[in-house]
RNA sequence: GGGCGAUUAGCUCAGUGGUAGAGCGCUUCCUUCACACGGAAGAGGUCGCUGGUUCAAUCCCAGCAUCGCCUACCA
């Protein structure tokens, strides 16, 4: 056993890479669909290829890896499918920035060349995150890594698009959408982040066309959009404006006439009760404009400037903010700007570049999510309501319903180049084809059609837009498994895809953070149900966000980002993983402080040193082989029992996704039971025990530690695999060794009771007194133990060596009903009275201590005694509760009596001196 | 505006209808042959505030306060 001497300090960097490479090379995480073992599948939330591992990834993938390793070791056929997301806007932005440094933009490069460039970037830089995931220890089936723009996944995207179009669930329409003027693309509703900002509320006078001295004052936060006003609305029952409804106003600056309309959506209490209506630049006004058949006046260009129209005049070409000050200035000169107030309101920002989002009129593709006959959202709601999918923690369900019930059609087209180009074609240059059919209608097809089926023209142009990135990720749980299998290029691949889908869909669990619940999870549910006729996953475990120690969201601009890679090299991957697992309490954000990680680094080191001790303590292999099984000491039976209780609890906690509980159980057991007590106790056994007992202890020690490594492995895969390799064990690799299962036969309540009540309690009590009275550990104590019955005496006698060694006691006397020696302090444990010899200075100290202790005890007893004098408590409380409390009262009374007794004795001794 | 969550030891957080727990930090002692990334002992909390239900509330209910988050078309 001593062939290798391990270093005193565990050095993670010396073992981690070795095992990561080994696991992958040995294909230990490869899942085969034909296996007969129960399937367990997860798909990774695909990180962006632009990404580098941040703590959110680290948490997300640590939790998934714990589940994957746990289920795999427990005997399941685990598929954890990895991959990355092409991240349309984000990736395009990265490459565009790179181009900008070279002084070119994508338009000079052209679409084809630009896309080539992005692919090239992906080849060189897109693999970073995958390498980092491997370093984290993620036990994915790396042979099945996917990318959202893979050929197979792109095929799935086209198939889904075409089918939805054919079913009428995808359509093209002109309407107001969220537009990022910087990215120059449409965004979906949830890609807009709302941010409170301090702005102004401008009060502007609009003169009546017929009576220019009569004016209506409107209040707006965006004066520049007045150039696009096509009405002013008031509430139909508003006394102030009633007579004016239907009259015309002269819109200042634009110099056109607009009507005053009545609409109940107007809030009479806000501003002046009159609101300008700009249907082309405000979502409210769009709805109002449609209700009243108002014209839509677009006054903006796609890059967020004032367009050139008859209305915009001198303002055209100005940016929004330039236009705002120019318009207010012009109004002021005309005497039409009545007042300006401070006003805070929410401004929509692009989630990628934080530019203010503009409501913008344009033609886009939409997914109809609540079609009355075929409601994607409706089925998705039902799946959760009927518990086909569990959201964990459950509290997220309300959020989910709230969002899904108010969901609007999903704008899926984006005016960028990097992504899945929309499979729709148009006849070039023809509004109406030869056949007389309107050829503005797109031809939606799986592949480029040879000619227009309506007019026969071969001059077709594909829709330049690409699909929202989340469109392809919505298909992730089945597209990655090979759907649609019938479109696979070869019979073998077809068969493989069919098998994969059959075995692993629906997947078992999805682990994700709540910020993409709607971006991704809800859409996967909609698409999965629609195309697979089955939910995409059973459990959705929603974890928190990782924040810094102050609770701030980590961001590069704040400079409070903790880089998990730095943490891994400083403290080890296992320490980081264990920290994240231990902090993953449901429904609470994680505030990560470095000290915590340090603590778990220490834990890893503790384990390492326990292993060193065990290796040194065990006899040579040759000796171990001979001499039979051996007998177990009380410590052996105790640790076995404790171990199997822990095994049961850990399995249970993992089954409930309580990673925090499971890691706390492991930490507590390994450090405070296995190391603090068991290893200390068996020092006695291994030194003084019989040969048979030494063999038994050596065997128990080995088995317990080996089991413990298996139990801990999902949390700390590297150090456990490394240590396991040094120990005798069944099987080849820890990563695929069986996960411990609780064995009721190993539970031993009697031994647990003895170790707890006889050994640990006595040792702790003696140590406590030693500490209180400053008796140095080097000074050996003399003491007597008094028990009530012979049985107790026997128990103590049998365990005397443990107590003597752990409490550092030299001479010890045991008896039934022993009287206290002349100068001795008493400590009570549940099983005995322990007397410790004192001298005079210590006697004084002890008197002092007893006085304080008594005062405290009396205070503690007060509420308990009070209860027993309450007749209502005695009559109404359950019997067990009364009994339990009575027992406590008895103990406290006895303790008090004993302390009083001692106190008087000691005082007497001092006085008589 | 609506919804959700939080408020427990100096800090970060578990937890339970029956005299409060962990880790870190702190204090004291100890370099005893696994580990100073260690060992032993200890201090420290009217469990946000106010009411209610109950024999009993940190836990259940109501209100309030503070702080987060989500969501929303008061321009």
């Amino acid at each position: 056993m001593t062939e290798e001497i391990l270093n005193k300090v565990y050095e993670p960097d010396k073992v981690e890479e070795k095992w990561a490479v080994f696991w992958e090379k040995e294909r230990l995480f490869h899942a085969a669909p034909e296996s007969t073992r129960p399937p367990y599948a997860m798909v990774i939330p695909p990180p962006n290829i632009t990404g580098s591992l941040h703590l959110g990834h680290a948490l997300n993938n640590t939790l998934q890896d714990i589940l994957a390793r746990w289920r795999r070791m427990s005997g399941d056929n685990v598929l954890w499918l990895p991959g990355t997301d092409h991240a349309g806007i984000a990736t395009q932005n990265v490459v565009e920035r790179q181009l900008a440094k070279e002084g070119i933009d994508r338009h000079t490069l052209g679409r084809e060349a630009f896309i080539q460039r992005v692919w090239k970037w992906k080849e060189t830089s897109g693999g970073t995150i995958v390498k980092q995931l491997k370093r984290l220890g993620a036990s994915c089936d790396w042979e099945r890594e996917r990318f959202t723009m893979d050929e197979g996944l792109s095929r799935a995207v086209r198939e889904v698009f075409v089918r939805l179009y054919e079913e009428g669930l995808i359509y093209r329409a002109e309407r107001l959408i969220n537009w990022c003027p910087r990215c120059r693309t449409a965004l979906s509703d949830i890609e807009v982040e709302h941010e409170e900002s301090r702005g102004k509320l401008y009060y502007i006078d609009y003169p009546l066309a017929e009576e220019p001295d009569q004016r209506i004052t409107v209040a707006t936060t965006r004066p520049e959009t007045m150039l696009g006003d096509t009405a002013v609305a008031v509430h139909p029952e508003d006394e102030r404006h009633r007579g004016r409804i239907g009259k015309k106003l002269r819109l200042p600056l634009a110099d056109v006439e607009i009507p005053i309309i009545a609409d109940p959506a107007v809030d009479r209490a806000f501003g002046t009760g009159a609101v300008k209506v700009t249907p082309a630049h405000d979502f409210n006004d769009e709805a109002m404009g449609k209700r009243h058949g108002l014209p839509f006046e677009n006054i903006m260009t796609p890059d967020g400037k004032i367009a050139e129209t008859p209305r915009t005049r001198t303002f055209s070409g100005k940016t929004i903010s330039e236009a705002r000050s120019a318009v207010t200035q012009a109004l002021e000169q005309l005497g039409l700007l009545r007042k300006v107030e401070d006003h805070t309101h929410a401004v929509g920002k692009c989630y990628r570049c934080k530019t203010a989002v503009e409501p913008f009129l344009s033609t886009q593709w939409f997914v109809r999510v609540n079609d009355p006959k075929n409601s994607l959202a409706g089925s998705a709601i039902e799946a959760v309501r009927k518990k086909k999918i569990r959201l964990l923690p459950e509290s997220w369900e309300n959020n989910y319903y709230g969002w899904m019930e108010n969901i609007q059609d999903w704008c899926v087209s984006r005016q960028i180049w990097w992504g899945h180009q929309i499979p729709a074609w148009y006849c070039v240059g023809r509004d109406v084809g030869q056949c007389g059919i309107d050829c503005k209608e797109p031809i939606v097809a799986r592949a480029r059609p040879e000619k227009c089926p309506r007019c026969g023209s071969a001059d077709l142009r594909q829709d330049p837009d690409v699909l929202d990135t989340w469109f392809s990720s919505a298909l992730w749980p089945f597209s990655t498994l090979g759907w649609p299998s019938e479109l696979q290029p070869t019979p073998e691949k077809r068969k493989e895809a069919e098998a994969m889908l059959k075995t692993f869909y629906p997947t078992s669990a999805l682990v994700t953070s709540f910020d993409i619940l709607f971006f991704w999870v809800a859409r996967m549910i909609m698409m999965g149900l629609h195309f697979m006729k089955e939910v995409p996953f059973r459990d959705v475990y929603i974890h928190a966000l990782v924040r810094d120690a102050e609770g701030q969201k980590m961001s590069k601009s704040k400079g409070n980002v903790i880089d998990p890679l730095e943490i891994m090299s400083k403290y080890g991957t296992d320490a980081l993983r264990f920290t994240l697992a231990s902090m993953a309490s449901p429904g609470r954000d994680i505030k990560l402080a470095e000290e915590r990680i340090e603590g778990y680094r220490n834990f890893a080191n503790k384990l390492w040193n326990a292993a060193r001790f065990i290796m040194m303590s065990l006899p040579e292999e040759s000796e171990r082989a001979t001499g039979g099984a051996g007998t177990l000491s009380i410590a052996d039976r105790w640790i076995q029992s404790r171990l199997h209780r822990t095994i049961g609890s850990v399995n249970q906690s993992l089954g409930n996704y309580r990673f925090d509980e499971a890691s706390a159980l492991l930490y507590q057991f390994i450090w405070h039971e296995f190391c603090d007590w068991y290893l200390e106790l068996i020092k006695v056994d291994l030194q003084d025990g019989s040969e048979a007992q030494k063999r038994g202890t050596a065997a128990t020690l080995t088995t317990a530690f080996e089991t413990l490594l298996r139990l801990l492995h999902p949390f700390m895969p590297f150090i456990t695999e490394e240590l396991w390799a040094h120990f005798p064990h069944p099987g080849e690799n820890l990563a695929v060794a069986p996960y411990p299962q609780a064995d009721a036969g190993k539970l031993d309540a009697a031994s647990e009771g003895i170790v707890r009540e006889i050994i640990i309690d006595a040792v702790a009590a003696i140590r406590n007194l030693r500490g209180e009275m400053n008796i140095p550990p080097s000074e050996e104590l003399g003491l007597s133990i008094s028990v009530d019955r012979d049985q107790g005496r026997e128990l103590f006698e049998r365990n005397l060596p443990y107590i003597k060694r752990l409490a550092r006691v030299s001479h010890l006397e045991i008896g039934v009903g022993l009287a206290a020696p002349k100068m001795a302090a008493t400590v009570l444990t549940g099983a005995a009275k322990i007397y410790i010899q004192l001298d005079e200075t210590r006697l004084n100290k002890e008197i002092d201590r007893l006085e304080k202790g008594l005062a405290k005890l009396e205070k503690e007893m007060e509420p308990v005694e009070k209860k027993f004098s309450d007749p209502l408590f005695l009559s109404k409380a359950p019997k067990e509760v009364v009994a339990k409390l009575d027992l406590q009262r008895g103990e406290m009374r006895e303790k008090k009596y004993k302390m009083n007794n001692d106190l008087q004795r000691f005082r007497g001794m001092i006085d008589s001196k």
Side-chain angles (χ1 to χ4, degrees):
Chain A
M1 212 56 232
T2 46
E3 68 275 8
E4 291 163 87
I5 306 293
L6 298 180
N7 201 312
K8 240 169 134 171
V9 175
Y10 170 54
E11 291 164 291
D13 48 317
K14 289 196 176 154
V15 308
E16 288 182 356
E17 202 192 335
K18 174 179 76 181
W19 288 112
V21 169
F22 177 84
W23 291 326
E24 193 179 352
K25 201 187 76 203
E26 295 291 311
R27 307 180 71 214
L28 296 181
F29 309 137
H30 184 61
E34 58 274 9
S35 162
T36 52
R37 285 174 295 142
Y40 186 92
M42 288 186 293
V43 289
I44 204 170
N48 292 350
I49 44 167
T50 51
S52 169
L53 194 78
H54 58 64
L55 275 169
H57 294 127
L59 170 68
N60 180 249
N61 289 289
T62 294
L63 299 185
Q64 287 179 83
D65 193 50
I66 290 171
L67 288 175
R69 287 179 187 269
W70 171 57
R71 290 321 311 160
R72 187 180 299 113
M73 291 172 78
S74 300
D76 288 355
N77 179 23
V78 171
L79 169 69
W80 182 15
L81 196 142
T84 47
D85 193 295
H86 67 279
I89 299 176
T91 309
Q92 174 153 333
N93 284 353
V94 167
V95 178
E96 279 191 276
R97 270 200 296 276
Q98 216 177 52
L99 289 178
K101 276 187 200 151
E102 299 164 25
I104 32 178
D105 74 21
R106 67 181 158 109
H107 298 281
T108 56
L109 211 57
R111 184 168 186 141
E112 285 298 310
F114 178 75
I115 291 174
Q116 283 306 312
R117 180 79 192 234
V118 181
W119 277 107
K120 209 177 116 199
W121 177 88
K122 194 228 164 203
E123 294 310 311
T124 53
S125 316
T128 311
I129 188 94
V130 168
K131 278 191 217 112
Q132 292 168 334
L133 285 173
K134 288 179 182 174
R135 180 157 176 217
L136 188 68
S139 64
C140 298
D141 185 351
W142 294 108
E143 289 167 49
R144 298 191 193 278
E145 187 185 333
R146 296 285 186 269
F147 177 54
T148 46
M149 278 177 55
D150 274 355
E151 200 179 319
L153 271 65
S154 301
R155 204 157 47 222
V157 165
R158 286 193 298 272
E159 183 67 20
V160 162
F161 189 94
V162 172
R163 283 205 212 169
L164 287 176
Y165 180 77
E166 285 166 354
E167 292 171 273
L169 296 179
I170 277 188
Y171 62 93
R172 196 163 175 262
E174 181 181 53
R175 66 169 63 160
L176 216 53
I177 45 90
N178 299 295
W179 182 267
C180 174
R182 200 216 62 84
C183 303
R184 284 197 225 176
T185 179
L187 298 172
S188 69
D189 293 342
I190 51 177
E191 284 168 315
V192 179
E193 288 176 354
H194 293 271
E195 200 175 282
E196 281 283 300
S197 76
R198 268 193 292 275
K200 304 272 185 210
L201 189 61
Y202 301 84
Y203 289 78
I204 305 169
D205 281 351
Y206 286 11
L208 266 70
E210 304 298 321
E211 311 142 77
D213 48 324
Q214 292 279 308
R215 291 165 176 189
I216 271 192
T217 310
V218 298
T220 180
T221 54
R222 303 200 54 190
E224 71 281 5
T225 64
M226 68 175 289
L227 300 169
D229 286 0
T230 55
V232 165
V234 297
H235 194 274
E237 280 146 37
D238 193 330
E239 297 297 329
R240 294 169 293 181
H241 305 296
R242 186 170 272 179
R244 291 161 163 180
I245 294 166
K247 292 193 171 168
K248 298 272 182 192
L249 290 168
R250 177 143 295 272
L251 182 62
L253 308 180
D255 203 29
V256 292
E257 286 190 1
I258 57 171
I260 301 173
I261 59 170
D263 194 292
V266 177
D267 179 357
R268 273 172 283 185
F270 188 89
T272 59
V275 57
K276 62 195 261 324
V277 184
T278 325
H281 295 284
D282 184 284
F283 288 104
N284 267 334
D285 297 1
E286 179 198 28
M288 212 183 281
K290 281 187 176 158
R291 279 201 291 278
H292 295 270
L294 299 173
F296 282 56
E297 282 288 338
N298 187 358
I299 55 153
M300 205 183 300
T301 61
D303 56 354
K305 291 188 174 138
I306 302 296
E308 223 179 298
T309 82
R311 286 168 160 232
T312 55
R313 303 178 180 195
T314 58
F315 301 106
S316 70
K318 291 191 192 308
T319 65
I320 297 296
S321 64
E322 286 165 0
R324 183 169 303 173
S325 47
V327 164
T328 47
Q329 216 166 20
L331 288 170
E332 203 161 10
Q333 277 167 13
L334 293 171
L336 295 173
L337 187 61
R338 183 151 284 221
K339 61 174 174 176
V340 180
E341 287 176 349
D342 285 335
H343 183 72
T344 57
H345 63 134
V347 176
K349 300 272 175 76
C350 171
Y351 83 131
R352 284 294 172 212
C353 69
K354 311 295 171 201
T355 306
V357 165
E358 290 293 335
F360 189 65
L361 195 62
S362 81
T363 303
Q364 303 286 346
W365 290 90
F366 295 88
V367 172
R368 198 187 305 280
V369 289
N370 33 29
D371 185 76
K373 279 188 295 245
N374 198 350
S375 172
L376 298 174
S379 325
I381 290 169
E382 199 190 65
V384 174
R385 267 201 217 288
K386 293 202 169 154
K387 302 288 172 197
K388 299 238 167 66
I389 296 176
R390 290 200 301 162
L391 299 187
L392 303 160
E394 230 173 76
S395 53
W396 281 103
E397 284 182 8
N398 282 334
N399 265 331
Y400 174 82
Y401 296 136
W403 192 76
M404 293 300 278
E405 277 156 12
N406 296 307
I407 189 172
Q408 299 296 310
D409 282 358
W410 173 17
C411 175
V412 290
S413 42
R414 297 289 180 275
Q415 288 64 50
I416 57 173
W417 288 350
W418 175 242
H420 301 95
Q421 197 168 351
I422 291 176
W425 286 265
Y426 308 89
C427 294
V428 175
R430 294 183 193 210
D431 284 351
V432 177
Q434 293 161 340
C435 50
I437 293 166
D438 182 358
C439 277
K440 271 185 181 163
E441 271 302 296
I443 307 151
V444 171
R446 287 168 181 83
R448 181 188 193 89
E450 285 191 12
K451 53 188 181 181
C452 171
R454 292 185 288 258
C455 70
S457 165
D459 193 6
L460 298 174
R461 186 176 57 91
Q462 188 171 2
D463 194 308
D465 291 355
V466 301
L467 286 164
D468 180 4
T469 300
W470 298 100
F471 192 90
S472 54
S473 23
L475 318 180
W476 189 248
F478 51 95
S479 64
T480 51
L481 297 176
W483 185 92
S485 54
E486 63 274 15
L487 294 185
Q488 290 291 338
T490 65
E492 295 79 46
K493 289 199 168 177
R494 208 170 303 151
K495 221 178 125 193
E496 164 86 0
E498 274 165 19
M500 288 296 284
L501 285 160
K502 186 162 176 284
T503 306
F504 294 117
Y505 193 95
T507 63
S508 313
L510 180 82
V511 177
T512 188
S513 94
F514 66 81
D515 52 343
I516 54 173
L517 190 59
F518 302 132
F519 275 104
W520 190 45
V521 180
R523 285 155 177 179
M524 279 193 286
I525 297 175
M526 292 195 277
M527 292 300 188
L529 285 168
H530 191 75
F531 287 97
M532 301 296 292
K533 307 293 172 218
E534 176 60 282
V535 296
F537 25 71
R538 303 283 181 210
D539 289 350
V540 180
Y541 176 78
I542 299 156
H543 62 248
L545 242 47
V546 184
R547 298 170 185 279
D548 72 3
E550 269 74 53
Q552 301 277 316
K553 199 167 172 174
M554 291 188 188
S555 73
K556 278 180 196 156
S557 56
K558 283 186 202 142
N560 60 349
V561 179
I562 299 181
D563 182 357
L565 297 157
E566 276 176 33
I567 295 291
M568 285 191 255
S569 14
K570 194 164 165 197
Y571 299 106
T573 302
D574 288 328
L576 174 65
R577 289 174 56 117
F578 204 85
T579 308
L580 293 170
S582 73
M583 299 185 89
S585 302
R588 193 155 183 153
D589 281 349
I590 296 176
K591 287 187 210 168
L592 192 66
E594 218 170 303
E595 299 83 65
R596 187 82 182 241
I597 307 165
E598 199 181 332
Y600 291 119
R601 186 269 319 262
N602 297 353
F603 175 56
N605 198 53
K606 185 79 181 174
L607 183 74
W608 184 259
N609 278 289
R612 287 179 62 224
F613 169 70
I614 295 168
M615 285 180 182
M616 287 188 265
S617 310
L618 289 178
E620 294 296 331
E621 207 149 343
S622 51
E623 288 174 46
R624 256 185 299 129
T626 60
T631 56
L632 302 192
S633 72
I634 181 85
D636 295 327
R637 292 198 298 274
W638 173 75
I639 200 66
Q640 256 183 8
S641 186
R642 295 301 308 149
L643 175 62
H644 279 267
R645 274 190 213 288
T646 307
I647 291 170
S649 307
V650 167
N651 274 301
Q652 196 182 9
S653 293
L654 285 175
N656 296 329
Y657 299 91
R658 290 301 304 265
F659 304 96
D660 58 329
E661 267 178 22
S663 44
L665 283 162
L666 285 161
Y667 184 92
Q668 170 66 27
F669 176 75
I670 292 172
W671 199 314
H672 298 302
E673 295 195 272
F674 188 82
C675 291
D676 283 354
W677 289 102
Y678 181 62
L679 293 186
E680 294 305 320
L681 290 171
I682 60 162
K683 282 176 184 171
V684 176
D685 294 334
L686 291 174
Q687 196 179 316
D688 304 330
S690 68
E691 285 310 309
Q693 194 247 277
K694 281 184 189 173
R695 278 198 307 278
T697 295
T700 309
L701 177 60
T702 316
T703 312
F705 191 67
E706 187 271 332
T707 307
L708 200 148
L709 290 177
R710 280 186 282 134
L711 196 63
L712 183 62
H713 180 259
F715 298 81
M716 296 189 141
F718 294 102
I719 188 174
T720 51
E721 185 85 75
E722 176 70 17
L723 288 176
W724 204 71
H726 290 276
F727 275 84
H729 54 250
E732 289 292 313
N733 299 106
L734 182 50
V736 289
Y739 202 67
Q741 300 298 320
D743 176 357
K746 294 275 166 44
L747 298 183
D748 183 344
S751 297
E752 285 193 48
I754 291 167
V755 170
R756 174 86 254 160
E757 285 154 32
I758 305 296
I759 302 173
I760 295 182
D761 276 2
V763 169
I766 298 164
R767 280 174 176 170
N768 179 317
L769 210 69
R770 197 194 267 279
E772 288 291 347
M773 296 193 295
N774 275 325
I775 306 171
S778 50
E779 185 178 333
E780 300 238 327
L781 285 175
L783 52 88
S784 2
I785 295 177
S786 168
V787 292
D788 292 336
R789 286 173 307 184
D790 269 336
Q791 200 196 1
R793 177 195 175 118
E794 203 191 314
L795 279 174
F796 272 101
E797 265 172 359
R798 211 183 302 147
N799 294 301
L800 223 52
Y802 293 128
I803 298 171
K804 282 176 100 168
R805 167 149 184 166
L806 268 62
R808 301 201 121 248
V809 174
S810 55
H811 34 279
L812 206 155
E813 174 196 4
I814 304 182
V816 178
L818 281 185
K822 264 199 178 151
M823 271 201 260
T826 313
V827 208
L828 278 177
T829 74
K833 291 170 195 151
I834 301 173
Y835 304 114
I836 296 172
Q837 263 335 126
L838 298 174
D839 62 28
E840 225 172 280
T841 40
R842 286 196 186 130
L843 202 60
N844 277 317
K845 258 190 186 165
E846 185 60 8
I847 288 173
D848 197 48
R849 200 179 72 86
L850 281 170
E851 282 169 347
K852 279 185 194 145
L854 259 175
K856 195 177 166 187
L857 183 64
E858 272 165 9
K859 214 172 149 193
E860 277 172 14
M861 285 174 76
E862 215 174 283
V864 180
E865 295 288 359
K866 207 172 140 195
K867 278 203 169 177
F868 280 94
S869 57
D870 179 358
L872 279 172
F873 168 71
L874 293 170
S875 61
K876 287 210 173 180
K879 252 193 278 176
E880 315 87 72
V881 171
V882 178
K884 195 180 152 196
L885 217 63
D886 194 34
L887 203 72
Q888 281 175 356
R889 182 174 64 153
E891 277 169 16
M892 281 156 102
R893 281 180 169 178
E894 193 186 349
K895 199 170 161 192
K896 186 179 165 187
Y897 169 79
K898 205 62 236 169
M899 285 168 91
N900 257 323
N901 221 352
D902 273 356
L903 198 56
Q904 274 167 26
R905 261 191 325 122
F906 296 159
R907 279 185 183 142
M909 286 176 207
I910 297 285
D911 291 345
S912 68
K913 211 187 108 246

